[in-house]
């Protein structure tokens, strides 16, 4: 299976402190899989300038596409836009297009478009805005990095605008076979079957329910016939 | 706040494909915070030898303690133990202590201690076993890396045996102030208050509920008096 590769960078002390449980990673993972893009790595870093810049540089050079989540709001701890600009050596300032979007939004809402809110219009030179239908403050794409909000409803809306523009491979399909046998009982024949299907990814996930051990075997690939053939072979383990 | 630093490495295609939602990161984050250890970074990588080895090397050299989750079962895709051994240049094979534990367990259960299950007794030279009261197959500690299972109930049991052995800093406490004002309205005075309390971490997390914008301000630190003083200052934003 050769699919375009992607990585995700989650920015936020609130995730690392355990205060908030991240929801965006799981959502993006599912969306990318459906779109035929292979999520290869996720990193979660704190609201720390050096850490964010280093992660953006590494991930953007190793993977075809990078998605970031978090740190683009109006407060002192929102430093993602500036860090991404610095990672790519680009100038960043309040940009007219983003300021227009936000200015007219706050005018409609009868709210002050103050300096803090102007911070959300800081966009690196040459970046393309990502639409935010939920709360207007845009994300942006610079080179192969898509910078998106951390609030799940906004993150999801931004993923919806970015994904259709990306070229995916054939969508990855999967089938699961549930075995009421322990992993250790099926590991050897399972390994043999996995070797016979190099174009499929065959994973094994143990579970324990009401004191009984079982194993979910998940077969993933782009060719439904091949998946069906592997599942048929795997039935011998039942 | 100077606390011992930690990183986590989650190993598993099932997380990156979106099939499974990771539960261990959030659990470990909370446990470490309670224990006064600062989780600085999380990486999620696929069941890929080169990716796992590289992540173990980088994280173990950058942070005081590393926790891994996943990939220590009996099947062909369980390669974590071998990768960790290779990252540290240590020999690995079925080790007598781990094989004894597992062998007597399977004997009691009337199950075959076959080659696949013996795979779970592969432990790097010099590593210390981590107790697994749930399903016996041990984790292990080698240098500053704690290698643990991905199944949440087992992961949690292993965290419970490892954490008391680690030296934590003063536990981090937090207080949250819920403001029914948008982040953009409070960002400027909030930034000023944050500057006045360099020993506290003051984060701002917007929410939207029933069309109303609000902001949760979270103050974290080790000194309850300092936290109370900051919260008092922040009340001015209500």
């Amino acid at each position: 299976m050769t699919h375009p590769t992607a990585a995700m960078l989650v920015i936020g002390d609130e995730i690392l402190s355990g205060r908030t449980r991240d929801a965006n990673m799981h959502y993006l993972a599912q969306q990318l899989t459906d779109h035929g893009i292979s999520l290869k790595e996720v990193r979660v870093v704190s609201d720390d300038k050096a850490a964010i810049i280093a992660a953006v540089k590494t991930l953007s050079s190793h993977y075809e596409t990078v998605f970031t989540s978090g740190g683009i709001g109006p407060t002192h701890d929102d430093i993602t836009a500036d860090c991404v600009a610095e990672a790519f050596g680009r100038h960043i300032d309040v940009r007219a297009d983003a300021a227009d979007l936000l200015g007219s939004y706050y005018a409609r809402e009868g709210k002050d478009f103050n300096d803090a809110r102007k911070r959300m219009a800081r966009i690196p030179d040459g970046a393309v805005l990502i639409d935010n239908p939920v709360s207007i403050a845009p994300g942006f794409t610079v080179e192969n990095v898509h910078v998106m909000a951390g609030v799940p409803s906004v993150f999801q809306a931004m993923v919806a605008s970015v994904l259709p523009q990306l070229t995916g491979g054939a969508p990855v399909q999967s089938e699961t076979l549930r075995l009421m046998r322990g992993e250790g009982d099926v590991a050897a024949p399972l390994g043999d079957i996995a070797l016979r299907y190099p174009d499929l990814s065959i994973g094994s996930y143990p579970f324990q329910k009401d004191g009984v051990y079982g194993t979910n075997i998940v077969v993933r690939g782009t060719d439904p016939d091949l998946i069906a053939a592997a599942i048929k072979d795997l039935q011998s383990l039942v």
Side-chain angles (χ1 to χ4, degrees), chain A:
Chain A
M1 293 184 287
T2 55
H3 285 86
T5 59
M8 179 183 192
L9 176 62
V10 179
I11 294 142
D13 287 343
E14 74 275 26
I15 310 288
L16 293 171
S17 70
R19 180 181 173 273
T20 302
R21 185 176 168 172
D22 169 70
N24 295 335
M25 175 169 94
H26 184 55
Y27 180 80
L28 183 66
Q30 290 182 315
Q31 291 290 310
L32 291 177
T33 297
D34 289 350
H35 199 71
I37 294 173
S38 184
L39 181 62
K40 289 295 197 185
E41 181 169 351
V42 178
R43 293 191 187 181
V44 187
V45 300
S46 63
D47 302 329
D48 174 82
K49 195 175 163 184
I52 298 170
I53 293 172
V56 169
K57 283 185 177 175
T58 303
L59 296 176
S60 65
S61 62
H62 280 69
Y63 302 101
E64 290 166 59
T65 308
V66 177
F67 300 84
T68 78
S69 157
I72 61 167
T75 59
H76 62 283
D77 52 352
D78 290 307
I79 58 173
T80 301
D82 284 73
C83 291
V84 171
E86 190 166 333
F88 288 115
R90 299 211 183 192
H91 176 256
I92 183 169
D93 205 341
V94 172
R95 218 171 73 175
D97 52 353
D100 284 352
L101 278 173
L102 285 162
S104 41
Y105 169 67
Y106 288 118
R108 282 197 308 277
E109 298 271 311
K111 287 181 182 166
D112 183 24
F113 188 35
N114 57 25
D115 284 346
R117 291 187 169 121
K118 281 186 184 137
R119 201 176 157 76
M120 294 189 286
R122 289 179 70 79
I123 305 287
D125 287 357
V128 176
L129 299 187
I130 299 174
D131 192 34
N132 171 1
V134 179
S135 53
I136 311 306
F140 61 84
T141 298
V142 57
E143 305 202 10
N144 63 340
V145 177
H146 305 285
V147 175
M148 309 197 288
V151 176
S153 59
V154 182
F155 180 82
Q156 292 172 19
M158 290 183 173
V159 169
S161 22
V162 167
L163 261 193
Q165 302 164 31
L166 299 177
T167 308
V172 175
Q173 306 185 12
S174 71
E175 289 240 16
T176 300
L177 186 69
R178 188 178 172 89
L179 301 176
M180 295 314 294
R181 299 176 67 188
E183 260 197 316
D185 279 328
V186 299
L190 177 64
D192 292 341
I193 294 171
L195 278 178
R196 291 210 299 273
Y197 293 93
D199 289 339
L200 298 176
S201 149
I202 301 184
S204 152
Y205 308 107
F207 63 85
Q208 193 190 353
K209 204 175 174 185
D210 305 327
V212 178
Y213 290 94
T215 307
N216 282 316
I217 312 288
V218 181
V219 181
R220 277 188 290 266
T222 53
D223 179 346
D225 293 342
L226 207 57
I227 294 174
I231 289 284
K232 203 174 160 207
D233 287 3
L234 290 164
Q235 306 274 12
S236 67
L237 305 180
V238 174

